[in-house]
Amino acid sequence: MSDQQNSQLADYISRQIDEQNGIDFATFMGLCLYHPDQGYYMKDRVRIGKQGDFFTSSSVHALFGSLISAQIRQMWELMGQGVFTVVEQGAGDGHLAADILDCLRDEAAELYENLSYRIVEISPDNRRRQAERLISHLERVTWCAEEELAPFTGCFLSNELIDAMPIHVVERRNGGFQELFVVKTEDGSFGEELRPDCGMLQDYFDWLGQAPCEGNRGEANLAAIDWMKKVAAKLEKGFVLTIDYGYPAEELYAPFRRNGTVMCYHKHSSNEDPYRLVGEQDITAHVDFTALQKAGAEVGLQPLYFGEQYQFLMALGFLERLMQLQASTSDQREAAALRMTLKNLIMPDQGMGSMFKMLVQGKGVGSPELLCQRKIADIPIPGI
Ligand SMILES: C[S@@+](CC[C@H](N)C(=O)[O-])C[C@H]1O[C@@H](n2cnc3c(N)ncnc32)[C@H](O)[C@@H]1O
């Protein structure tokens, strides 16, 4: 894995900037991550896990997927236990899909038999990794492009998809908005230029009812709004479960967040400079969960649950599963290592427990009492 930028990609982007007299940040990020041959997600490389650039919850431990499978199982029951489709978009190395499918096969045979698991994945490299990991479930799994996805009944699932969508970067100046463009500096490297908004960002923030404060930088994920509408159009009946790091708009655009949330990841270190290591680092931005809920509500997706990952996982039986796993080893060091690993998923400050949020929306399913809404006091703890 290189510590230098991908010069072929950097040259391509450089030519685009010359030809178009600068490109907006969303175009720049889209090219860095998804250029068809050279983009970070499109090339053969290890991205997720110890040898890669970042961990995701599903790569931390199979327990994450097993808890999600409990929620999916209840969704299936709520919908009458018939044929059920799970669509997962942006499945990475396939950890989440594998853990859900393993668990359903072992614990919910009837659902497993009725299940079609469809993966929508943009990266050929990730599709290959997913197919390898899912070798024992190939009867249940199919892949398709976003535009090929047929209308379905079931659950649309994503984990860390939205944070990887190209975002527009904006600064609030004198009450109005300026959009960030990527240009070339005198020495030929990539630089930034603010240009007056053409009206698109003003319209967006008017619609949202929140915006970055005067003098602050922030992001507008317009692609996420289009995505939400497409998801709603494909889902005939069922649920949308979106997992990602982010905040409600009020918190995302809070006065103290002066520089927005763009973050880059390379070999497990983070930086705020998207212009270095072009094509060799992940670029992300925190998700605006208010925008997702608002866009969804406009197209028939009712918000059913929104909460932090630790609450969600606890309600789905985190402690019960942890105790079962611990009971399966008599080695004290192994049990301690397991606890350390799993703590990551729920720790509010240092871990993923609070920064990650879970949003469940529903279409044609009423207002069911979801398993993830269980109160901690109502959760039985084995042996107590
Ligand atoms: C950060 S990874 C998600 C990891 C994975 N969900 C997990 O639990 O480990 C982002 C994933 O989204 C995929 N992706 C990004 N944009 C996409 C799109 N428009 N359609 C399908 N997949 C996309 C990437 O190729 C990658 O697999």
Side-chain angles (χ1 to χ4, degrees), residues 86-115:
V86 172
V87 175
E88 186 186 352
Q89 185 167 5
D93 288 358
H95 282 107
L96 184 56
D99 297 335
I100 290 173
L101 286 161
D102 284 350
C103 215
L104 293 180
R105 181 195 52 209
D106 299 344
E107 297 176 14
E110 193 185 336
L111 167 53
Y112 188 77
E113 288 306 312
N114 277 291
L115 185 68

Side-chain angles (χ1 to χ4, degrees), residues 34 41 56 58 89-90 92 120-123 126 146 159-161:
Y34 307 112
Y41 276 103
T56 60
S58 67
Q89 185 167 5
V120 178
E121 174 55 62
I122 199 171
S123 157
N126 279 349
E146 197 176 318
N159 181 36
E160 292 202 43
L161 168 72

Side-chain angles (χ1 to χ4, degrees), residues 140-181:
R140 306 258 69 89
V141 185
T142 50
W143 282 261
C144 71
E146 197 176 318
E147 53 287 359
E148 289 165 359
L149 182 66
F152 70 98
T153 294
C155 177
F156 193 104
L157 170 67
S158 67
N159 181 36
E160 292 202 43
L161 168 72
I162 320 294
D163 72 73
M165 290 183 179
I167 37 91
H168 293 265
V169 175
V170 57
E171 274 189 34
R172 185 88 176 262
R173 294 279 173 96
N174 304 318
F177 297 104
Q178 301 263 313
E179 178 162 12
L180 185 76
F181 274 70

Side-chain angles (χ1 to χ4, degrees), residues 182-359:
V182 183
V183 294
K184 298 248 289 284
T185 60
E186 274 174 15
D187 68 4
S189 57
F190 297 136
E192 299 186 338
E193 190 175 292
L194 287 173
R195 296 184 183 171
D197 164 38
C198 61
M200 177 182 76
L201 295 168
Q202 182 75 53
D203 288 351
Y204 175 75
F205 289 115
D206 285 349
W207 167 81
L208 183 63
Q210 286 281 339
C213 299
E214 182 63 34
N216 282 5
R217 188 174 269 208
E219 301 90 29
N221 192 339
L222 306 183
I225 307 306
D226 281 351
W227 169 83
M228 193 83 267
K229 290 179 184 160
K230 284 187 203 151
V231 171
K234 298 289 180 175
L235 181 70
E236 290 179 325
K237 187 177 173 187
F239 301 88
V240 183
L241 168 52
T242 306
I243 309 167
D244 220 315
Y245 43 90
Y247 305 103
E250 203 180 349
E251 220 179 319
L252 185 65
Y253 300 120
F256 65 84
R257 219 178 296 286
R258 299 190 60 78
N259 293 315
T261 66
V262 171
M263 269 297 198
C264 309
Y265 295 90
H266 179 73
K267 293 187 180 172
H268 297 284
S269 70
S270 57
N271 70 80
E272 293 175 21
D273 184 356
Y275 310 113
R276 60 184 277 235
L277 293 172
V278 167
E280 295 290 330
Q281 63 176 358
D282 193 16
I283 308 175
T284 74
H286 279 47
V287 171
D288 178 350
F289 280 95
T290 304
L292 289 185
Q293 291 183 61
K294 198 168 158 57
E298 287 177 4
V299 287
L301 294 175
Q302 304 313 319
L304 300 177
Y305 174 90
F306 176 62
E308 297 182 345
Q309 176 159 302
Y310 85 91
Q311 294 166 317
F312 185 90
L313 296 183
M314 289 299 233
L316 291 176
F318 181 90
L319 285 178
E320 291 127 297
R321 295 249 179 205
L322 171 62
M323 289 173 97
Q324 280 164 7
L325 282 168
Q326 285 200 121
S328 66
T329 173
S330 53
D331 181 333
Q332 290 308 308
R333 281 175 54 182
E334 206 178 295
L338 179 73
R339 277 196 301 277
M340 286 291 285
T341 303
L342 293 180
K343 239 165 65 177
N344 250 317
L345 293 174
I346 54 161
M347 284 283 281
D349 294 331
Q350 306 299 323
M352 296 161 140
S354 199
M355 193 169 69
F356 279 80
K357 309 289 188 309
M358 322 302 242
L359 171 65

